[in-house]
Amino acid sequence: MRMKHGYPIALALLAAFALTSATAEAQTPKKGGTLKFAVLDEPPSYDCHRVSTFAFIHPVRPHYSTLLEFDPDKYPTIRGDLAQSWDISKDGLTYTFKLRSGVKFHDGSALTSADVKATYERISNPPQGVVSLRKASYGDITSIETPDALTVVFKLRAPNASMLANFASPWDCIYSAAKIKTDPKFPEKNVLGTGPFKFVEHVSGSHWVGERFNDYFEPGKPYLDNYRAIFIKSSAAIVNALQGGEIHTEFRGFTPADRDKLVGALGNKVVVQESPWVCNLVLAFNTEKKPFDDARVRRALSLALDRWKGSEALSKIAIVKPVGGILRPGYELAASPADLEKIPGMSKNIEKSRAEAKRLLKEAGVSNLKFKLTNRNVPMPYTPVAVWMLDQWRQLGITAEHEQLDSKLYFDALRSGNYQAGVDFNCDHTDDPSLQFIKYLSSDKSTINYGRYSDRTLDHLYEMQARTTDPEQRKTFVREFEFRALSEAYTVPTIWYNRIIVHAAQMKGWKITPSHYINQDLADVWLDQ
Amino acid sequence: MLRYTVHRILLMIPTLLGVAVLIFFLLRIMPGDIVELKLLGEGASVTPDVLAAERARLGLDKTLIWQFVDWMGGLFTGDLGVSMWTERPVAHEIGIRLELSLQVAIMATILATAIALPLGTLAALFRDTWIDHTIRVFAIAGLAVPSFWLGMVLILGLLLVFNWIPPLTFTPLYEDPWANLSQLIWPAIAVGYRYSAVATRMTRSSLLEVLKEDYIRTARAKGVYERLVVARHAMRNALLPVITVIGLEFAFLIGGLVVTEQVFNLNGIGKLFVQAVAHGDYTLVQALVMLVASFFIIINFVVDMLYAWLDPRIRYG
């Protein structure tokens, strides 16, 4: 019965938040225990370099280390993981990393600069038969040198403003040079890293288990004896499992309804952490199909969306909340409220925006526009966001038919251009503009641009922001890129995701970050039992 | 009987071949690309050469005929291939799930049979009495309530009453019978109830039909005890359609418990099937279809043999 009343839930939420802040700093970590968490899907491969799903990161990342990593307490600040320190030359062309000493792989062999070199060579120049998804991120590297066992020097052909963020990518697990020299595909079937946990077993479709690596390079860590990632496909089953005490959490995210149900049922036995999320649903227009070849029509459809009111309503039922441009609101390079006000479709003055939308549609000769909105058959948040958009357009006399497709058919439609307008998504491990802007580049420069357009101005601005070493100058290029992209409205953001994590109160030492891909090595997590 | 058995076995071969051809080519007609889904699924930016390399690695760059020849060659040598999604052998993927699916199917069948035979018989013998009405309500409710819904109610009930849910991971029966049964008894109940409802109604109607036959009247006229009339003369004939229903339901349970497996988080064949279809994992879907088809064919064969055993007219017909 408590679920029917908002007041007790609000109180419990407040109590849960209070508990988080009060206890986060105060307690001394305890050793021992097995952390059990759910993962909504299963890793398609064991090789970090060839995957891009959280279903890999959550169970597998605790086995590995990366050169750098994002500091969860000060995101997006970057700190060393295997690197103890680093230096960037004034011209931005040389990155020198000093590695920690005494780091061991789980088989007891010592990590040296040769392992880092071999790893990055595998990513940037994969051998025959090896798939490397992040090859392009390291396209600027001309050479990797190892002057001594603990020093690695990367030489670049041109400055790259995103290079440090790239080195902090959670996907770039450091492998043993000896193993990948013998068999470049070794990581596809084996797990051998220097991370806080050793691999124990993976039962396909069921679970993944890791145990503490006693020779982990950070003294005293990890705190847990083991972790057990359980593959659970259904969100409802995850909520039941958390309520029944079978798991401590799930690290991707819960819906507001799940959060309220769990807080209502378990009160202060659970803790809620929330954060804006580096993921958003975007509205993509196929510019090869009329009338979406006309910027006025695209812009009008963006102007018709009252994102601010939509955020208020949708955040109660869906995992969306912040309103922003191409970069996540709150990120240091994101548009300020004043900047947003100038971007078509982002203004809080919806009457003015809708009047402009009507004018543009009339001018384009499509006042009674009808089209099909292709969407992915994933309930959260694709369905509520699409339904909200349909209603927003209906208020302007626009009729959109909602077509929801299974993921495979959905990708096929978007990739082949067999759609008019589509709900697309943008999600990555960092807010860095060089990653976030890829979707908006010309289609011959970006494989994830489904708008099928070419805009050399955007491509040029992208290069400029990526190449400058002056942060202020980068900010200017970023603003110009964002304004142009959203004025042309080839692809426009809807409402940004809001990440909600509910976890057992006894799970400590884990802090939510804006990305579900980072802060997942579990080295700091402990159980208060 | 031997000739009948050999004839039935020989009929299985063209049936399986037909299934193999159909599933292979039907899958290829479906739109969608596993490589794109796998590599771009979370929005990663991947260059066309990486996509092409992955397609080649999975053998998708070969012509359809060569892909089919490769697959059939593997089938004849007992090699089901490698899952295009997980990159582990298909036989391994199926093997680790088959034990659980078989156990749930067997438990549900035992439960359903144990409920259906006595209840169906009682309903037939006490036709149109309160006993019959009660049993019919029980059976109709079982047909009306989807198994997954009953499963959800069971889980919510366990959560509310005991603040407990069944274990989320499978433990084999021989390792820890208690852990095994505490996980699988609930889906067996959820599925077995619907299954028992089907079998109860079939037992009742079949027995009612047989009880009207002349030979039953003759047996009664000869003064045979009613218990013997039912057990020896009526049941043996009435069981023929019931066995068919039980056999087909059993085969269905191997791969058809998709939603129930999801509700109880069972790592079974049904869930694997759905995942494989959603991913467009050709090799895995093909193997699963062949597995389920084989189960249906084998169970039909067993049912036919039971028919022949129960009814001599079939074997000598």
Side-chain angles (χ1 to χ4, degrees), chain B:
Chain B
M1 185 70 183
L2 182 68
R3 196 173 158 210
Y4 177 76
T5 310
V6 171
H7 178 71
R8 296 292 297 131
I9 289 173
L10 286 177
L11 268 179
M12 290 182 191
I13 297 167
T15 313
L16 280 173
L17 271 176
V19 171
V21 173
L22 263 179
I23 187 61
F24 183 89
F25 289 102
L26 280 178
L27 270 179
R28 265 66 180 183
I29 292 169
M30 281 168 57
D33 181 353
I34 184 173
V35 175
E36 286 183 2
L37 188 63
K38 197 172 173 182
L39 300 184
L40 306 173
E42 293 233 348
S45 177
V46 183
T47 54
D49 59 309
V50 172
L51 294 173
E54 183 67 357
R55 277 193 196 100
R57 209 170 72 94
L58 297 176
L60 294 171
D61 57 339
K62 293 182 188 170
T63 61
L64 270 191
I65 296 298
W66 274 116
Q67 288 181 45
F68 183 70
V69 170
D70 280 353
W71 181 53
M72 288 307 285
L75 273 187
F76 282 116
T77 55
D79 177 12
L80 296 174
V82 173
S83 159
M84 289 179 172
W85 189 266
T86 68
E87 295 170 16
R88 286 183 290 274
V90 165
H92 168 78
E93 293 290 358
I94 293 175
I96 55 171
R97 289 160 173 96
L98 196 57
E99 184 183 347
L100 182 146
S101 288
L102 267 176
Q103 194 187 332
V104 173
I106 291 168
M107 284 169 70
T109 304
I110 292 171
L111 195 72
T113 314
I115 294 170
L117 291 185
L119 287 190
T121 310
L122 277 175
L125 293 178
F126 296 95
R127 187 186 182 182
D128 291 335
T129 65
W130 68 268
I131 296 175
D132 182 27
H133 295 318
T134 311
I135 291 169
R136 283 165 73 184
V137 167
F138 170 83
I140 290 168
L143 289 175
V145 172
S147 304
F148 70 86
W149 185 83
L150 183 60
M152 283 159 66
V153 170
L154 280 172
I155 285 196
L156 290 177
L158 291 169
L159 256 180
L160 277 174
V161 179
F162 302 108
N163 206 20
W164 177 86
I165 61 162
L168 296 166
T169 49
F170 177 65
T171 311
L173 188 65
Y174 50 84
E175 271 181 26
D176 185 346
W178 178 249
N180 174 280
L181 292 175
S182 62
Q183 183 191 25
L184 298 189
I185 191 67
W186 309 103
I189 290 172
V191 173
Y193 178 36
R194 194 196 63 85
Y195 190 172
S196 73
V198 178
T200 301
R201 285 177 63 81
M202 185 54 77
T203 308
R204 178 185 178 275
S205 60
S206 180
L207 194 56
L208 280 175
E209 200 73 25
V210 171
L211 286 172
K212 287 181 204 158
E213 294 288 337
D214 291 344
Y215 61 85
I216 297 292
R217 199 180 309 129
T218 308
R220 281 177 177 151
K222 278 164 62 183
V224 179
Y225 289 118
E226 184 62 17
R227 197 178 296 168
L228 279 181
V229 170
V230 174
R232 197 170 289 171
H233 298 278
M235 274 308 268
R236 193 159 172 168
N237 287 293
L239 275 180
L240 290 175
V242 178
I243 286 170
T244 310
V245 165
I246 289 175
L248 290 178
E249 283 283 328
F250 181 83
F252 165 78
L253 291 185
I254 300 298
L257 294 181
V258 176
V259 189
T260 309
E261 284 180 5
Q262 200 124 315
V263 168
F264 290 97
N265 199 49
L266 301 180
N267 191 23
I269 295 289
K271 205 163 78 171
L272 183 68
F273 218 138
V274 171
Q275 274 170 241
V277 172
H279 291 150
D281 188 343
Y282 294 152
T283 41
L284 193 49
V285 175
Q286 286 161 189
L288 285 167
V289 169
M290 294 307 290
L291 173 83
V292 174
S294 305
F295 259 103
F296 269 96
I297 288 169
I298 290 166
I299 282 167
N300 266 317
F301 170 75
V302 172
V303 168
D304 285 351
M305 291 298 107
L306 280 173
Y307 265 38
W309 175 65
L310 286 168
D311 187 346
R313 287 171 300 178
I314 294 173
R315 97 186 90 132
Y316 302 117

Side-chain angles (χ1 to χ4, degrees), chain A residues 266-516:
Chain A
L266 298 172
N268 62 8
K269 288 183 186 160
V270 287
V271 170
V272 179
Q273 297 193 45
E274 294 196 24
S275 163
W277 203 341
V278 197
C279 295
N280 68 353
L281 288 186
V282 297
L283 174 62
F285 298 107
N286 185 347
T287 60
E288 287 178 351
K289 302 246 180 182
K290 285 190 179 301
F292 302 111
D293 57 339
D294 187 334
R296 291 171 300 183
V297 178
R298 301 191 300 262
R299 203 178 307 142
L301 289 174
S302 180
L303 282 161
L305 302 175
D306 186 351
R307 292 171 169 85
W308 298 95
K309 283 269 167 59
S311 158
E312 275 176 39
L314 284 170
S315 61
K316 291 174 187 154
I317 57 162
I319 53 169
V320 292
K321 197 172 187 179
V323 176
I326 297 181
L327 298 176
R328 180 182 60 85
Y331 172 56
E332 56 195 14
L333 288 175
S336 65
D339 293 328
L340 271 186
E341 198 57 37
K342 295 177 206 154
I343 297 174
M346 299 294 161
S347 167
K348 286 186 175 172
N349 188 344
I350 190 64
E351 285 78 22
K352 192 178 159 198
S353 295
R354 286 194 175 150
E356 173 67 358
K358 276 186 182 171
R359 188 190 68 77
L360 288 170
L361 288 173
K362 195 174 173 190
E363 199 178 287
V366 286
S367 295
N368 297 313
L369 179 63
K370 286 184 182 170
F371 66 96
K372 192 184 275 185
L373 178 70
T374 301
N375 196 3
R376 194 176 184 183
N377 193 13
V378 172
M380 189 55 67
Y382 289 77
T383 305
V385 169
V387 169
W388 166 73
M389 285 197 288
L390 300 188
D391 178 63
Q392 296 286 295
W393 292 326
R394 186 189 51 79
Q395 293 177 41
L396 249 69
I398 300 164
T399 310
E401 183 194 333
H402 190 198
E403 174 190 50
Q404 282 199 281
L405 300 175
D406 179 64
S407 290
K408 196 156 58 79
L409 302 179
Y410 160 86
F411 277 114
D412 192 56
L414 262 60
R415 296 268 299 165
S416 65
N418 187 21
Y419 78 103
Q420 290 181 291
V423 180
D424 186 12
F425 65 101
N426 211 13
C427 199
D428 225 308
H429 69 276
T430 166
D431 290 285
D432 191 275
S434 293
L435 268 182
Q436 297 294 321
F437 286 175
I438 291 176
K439 185 165 281 298
Y440 299 82
L441 295 178
S442 295
S443 48
D444 59 348
K445 305 261 180 204
S446 163
T447 51
I448 52 168
N449 165 358
Y450 303 124
R452 307 175 84 80
Y453 58 84
S454 179
D455 188 325
R456 297 301 170 215
T457 308
L458 283 181
D459 299 343
H460 173 70
L461 286 168
Y462 179 85
E463 273 302 300
M464 298 300 282
Q465 68 79 29
R467 296 299 173 203
T468 181
T469 48
D470 176 358
E472 280 308 307
Q473 206 176 29
R474 190 179 196 206
K475 205 169 182 174
T476 307
F477 290 131
V478 163
R479 285 287 72 73
E480 282 182 44
F481 182 101
E482 186 174 53
F483 187 78
R484 178 169 176 87
L486 298 187
S487 300
E488 289 297 324
Y490 307 111
T491 294
V492 291
T494 58
I495 300 172
W496 282 78
Y497 281 24
N498 186 49
R499 190 173 175 212
I500 302 168
I501 297 295
V502 185
H503 62 82
Q506 64 175 165
M507 185 187 113
K508 312 273 186 184
W510 182 84
K511 186 174 184 294
I512 195 167
T513 54
S515 168
H516 58 303

Side-chain angles (χ1 to χ4, degrees), chain A residues 123-177:
Chain A
I123 299 171
S124 56
N125 190 20
Q128 183 75 24
V130 169
V131 172
S132 167
L133 296 194
R134 279 154 283 273
K135 180 181 169 181
S137 301
Y138 297 103
D140 286 334
I141 295 176
T142 52
S143 70
I144 305 171
E145 292 161 15
T146 51
D148 63 59
L150 294 178
T151 307
V152 194
V153 182
F154 291 85
K155 301 263 187 191
L156 271 56
R157 73 182 89 246
N160 186 328
S162 307
M163 213 56 207
L164 272 189
N166 289 339
F167 284 127
S169 164
W171 309 104
D172 300 341
C173 307
I174 303 297
Y175 293 147
S176 156

